[in-house]
Amino acid sequence: MNYPVYLDYNSTTPCAPQVIEAMLPWFAEHFGNSASKSHAFGWVAENAVDEAREQVANLIGAKSKEIVFTSGATEAINLAIKGIFEYYAEGKEKQHYITCQTEHKAVLDCHAELQKYGAEVTYLPVRSNGTLDLNLLKASIRPETKMISLMWANNETGIIHPIAEVAKIAQESNVIFFTDAVQAAGKIPVSVSGIHLLAISAHKFYGPKGIGALYIRHNHPLPKPLAQISGGGHEKGFRSGTLNIPAIVGMGKAAEMRLSEMEKDGNRLKILRDKLEQRLLELSDTVLNGGQNNRLPHVTNISFGGVEGEELLKRVCHKVAVSSGSACSSITPKPSHVLLAMGVDPDLGRASIRFSLGKHTSEQDLSEAGDCIVKVLEMLKKRN
Ligand SMILES: *Cc1c(COP(=O)(O)O)cnc(C)c1O
């Protein structure tokens, strides 16, 4: 298989070799169940989970007892949002939730489900550069508001929300604050300070797929989510089911590695990203989606005017692996909900590309990607 240049690190990342090496002994040699309390197989496994929990907690400035392992961020997000709704539903209270139009589908779909069960939801708009209006957030809080859910950094544009300020607003109103920190953790400094619930995913930071975590704040009077998976009471009752020890060990190792390498990585990638971005923005009819400030160092999202989105992607994808600004799952591709919320014209939205760089991205990769895009654009425009 002759793979294209990979510039889709926001979709997933390769496992670091050290992560794979750390995982291997936990499949067969040390195969115990961490819930087995009566023999060494279980004790050894439990120790490994304890260490990984500590490593994951360190990445986000949490205590290890505040980490609940899940099958990924989607499950962590479901646990946070539906779990809080269920807590309050027991009291038959009126419930209101605040989130944003540019959130990940997992967050949006969970809120849509709450609406089916009678909750009211405010989906905050964003400015054309993808930023939030904090005054609007403040004005949206009602006496019956139970939770604010806002992502740390956007997966499509890299735009970073002012999390510390949102946390302060939530605190002042005594409202739970949940953040989907999947794209931020392991890329930029993340701290749980002022946050009640936070979701992360290992495969977005060079760990294995199918493992994630929900941070649940301890020693706080606001409620904790009710479990969405019942059973043996694993993970302090928040998430039953035998723990995926190889994956947990891998997530711990990946978290530990990112803590020491993310700053250097980010600085290097920012230079490469800026160079590619500059080159593409110099072409006619190209527009940057999202402002240049307050964003992840390794992401850029660009619209290419004057060409058909589908045509562009079809020709680029043989040489460069990127994500498009459209949801390809449907027959007529819809522009991404994130770009639409930013007011991007639907046709331009369909002709948008998200470039997300990662630790194996080289200068050569980006010049090849740039060359390919330039060539395809020239060809398509000549044909028009
Ligand atoms: C990838 C992603 C998710 C989902 O994570 P999984 O572990 O793949 O379920 C959620 N939110 C954001 C912002 C993401 O980028």
Side-chain angles (χ1 to χ4, degrees):
M1 180 82 194
N2 203 358
Y3 274 132
V5 170
Y6 190 73
L7 294 178
D8 204 13
Y9 281 82
N10 280 14
S11 291
T12 195
T13 60
C15 261
Q18 298 94 319
V19 166
I20 298 169
E21 199 188 334
M23 289 172 71
L24 286 176
W26 301 97
F27 285 98
E29 190 186 340
H30 307 299
F31 64 89
N33 184 333
S34 56
S36 301
K37 303 292 181 201
S38 55
H39 52 70
F41 292 91
W43 306 331
V44 167
E46 194 184 15
N47 281 342
V49 171
D50 287 346
E51 189 189 340
R53 206 184 294 282
E54 188 80 40
Q55 289 166 320
V56 170
N58 282 343
L59 181 66
I60 56 172
K63 300 187 199 85
S64 64
K65 65 175 178 198
E66 296 174 311
I67 301 297
V68 169
F69 286 113
T70 62
S71 66
T74 299
E75 189 195 323
I77 289 165
N78 274 263
L79 172 56
I81 298 171
K82 295 179 186 169
I84 290 298
F85 175 80
E86 271 186 26
Y87 174 93
Y88 284 111
E90 287 185 335
K92 309 219 183 310
E93 287 177 64
K94 208 167 149 191
Q95 300 195 45
H96 172 244
Y97 288 76
I98 299 174
T99 184
C100 179
Q101 295 170 2
T102 55
E103 290 291 310
H104 189 271
K105 281 288 181 195
V107 170
L108 292 176
D109 286 358
C110 280
H111 281 92
E113 253 181 83
L114 301 196
Q115 285 178 292
K116 278 200 314 210
Y117 292 106
E120 289 187 33
V121 180
T122 299
Y123 297 92
L124 293 171
V126 293
R127 302 187 184 98
S128 61
N129 62 4
T131 58
L132 266 178
D133 180 345
L134 291 180
N135 288 324
L136 194 58
L137 167 62
K138 266 187 225 169
S140 304
I141 297 173
R142 309 177 193 168
E144 64 271 21
T145 303
K146 301 302 182 202
M147 183 157 76
I148 298 169
S149 297
L150 290 169
M151 70 203 321
W152 200 299
N154 187 274
N155 47 305
E156 292 189 30
T157 59
I159 294 298
I160 298 169
H161 282 328
I163 292 299
E165 287 165 68
V166 174
K168 204 164 142 248
I169 292 169
Q171 213 159 15
E172 283 163 4
S173 311
N174 204 31
V175 170
I176 298 168
F177 177 31
F178 162 59
T179 184
D180 168 353
V182 171
Q183 293 292 347
K187 313 292 168 58
I188 56 172
V190 164
S191 154
V192 295
S193 158
I195 292 163
H196 302 104
L197 300 163
L198 179 149
I200 57 174
S201 178
H203 77 94
K204 302 287 172 81
F205 58 83
Y206 308 96
K209 293 171 182 59
I211 187 75
L214 182 67
Y215 157 83
I216 303 178
R217 183 167 213 89
H218 269 237
N219 298 328
H220 198 280
L222 281 170
K224 298 183 174 65
L226 298 192
Q228 299 299 297
I229 296 179
S230 311
H234 307 74
E235 296 299 271
K236 298 199 166 71
F238 286 112
R239 203 282 189 181
S240 286
T242 300
L243 273 61
N244 184 348
I245 298 181
I248 287 170
V249 168
M251 183 174 190
K253 183 68 191 172
E256 181 195 71
M257 288 176 66
R258 288 317 290 168
L259 211 48
S260 63
E261 61 187 25
M262 70 178 166
E263 190 183 349
K264 207 174 81 214
D265 237 28
N267 291 340
R268 185 182 75 88
L269 294 177
K270 183 179 185 309
I271 294 168
L272 293 183
R273 188 272 314 268
D274 288 349
K275 207 167 139 183
L276 173 72
E277 183 174 279
Q278 218 166 24
R279 179 175 181 196
L280 296 176
L281 290 180
E282 274 167 13
L283 306 171
S284 53
D285 310 321
T286 54
V287 189
L288 176 68
N289 294 315
Q292 258 155 341
N293 301 323
N294 299 327
R295 73 183 160 143
L296 296 172
H298 58 282
V299 185
T300 182
N301 189 314
I302 295 176
S303 290
F304 299 90
V307 295
E308 171 95 42
E310 256 176 295
E311 287 279 324
L312 174 67
L313 255 298
K314 212 169 65 194
R315 291 192 157 66
V316 165
C317 72
H318 300 290
K319 282 241 161 79
V320 196
V322 286
S323 269
S324 81
S326 65
C328 308
S329 43
S330 50
I331 301 163
T332 41
K334 272 195 288 214
S336 102
H337 68 282
V338 173
L339 298 182
L340 287 182
M342 290 161 63
V344 174
D345 170 83
D347 282 336
L348 211 48
R350 267 187 288 268
S352 300
I353 295 181
R354 173 189 75 187
F355 302 88
S356 48
L357 289 53
K359 69 171 167 182
H360 304 294
T361 304
S362 67
E363 190 146 18
Q364 170 78 16
D365 288 341
L366 292 186
S367 67
E368 275 176 37
D371 289 349
C372 165
I373 303 251
V374 167
K375 225 165 75 187
V376 169
L377 286 175
E378 268 172 15
M379 195 261 291
L380 289 178
K381 284 187 175 175
K382 208 174 282 168
R383 228 183 40 181
N384 283 357

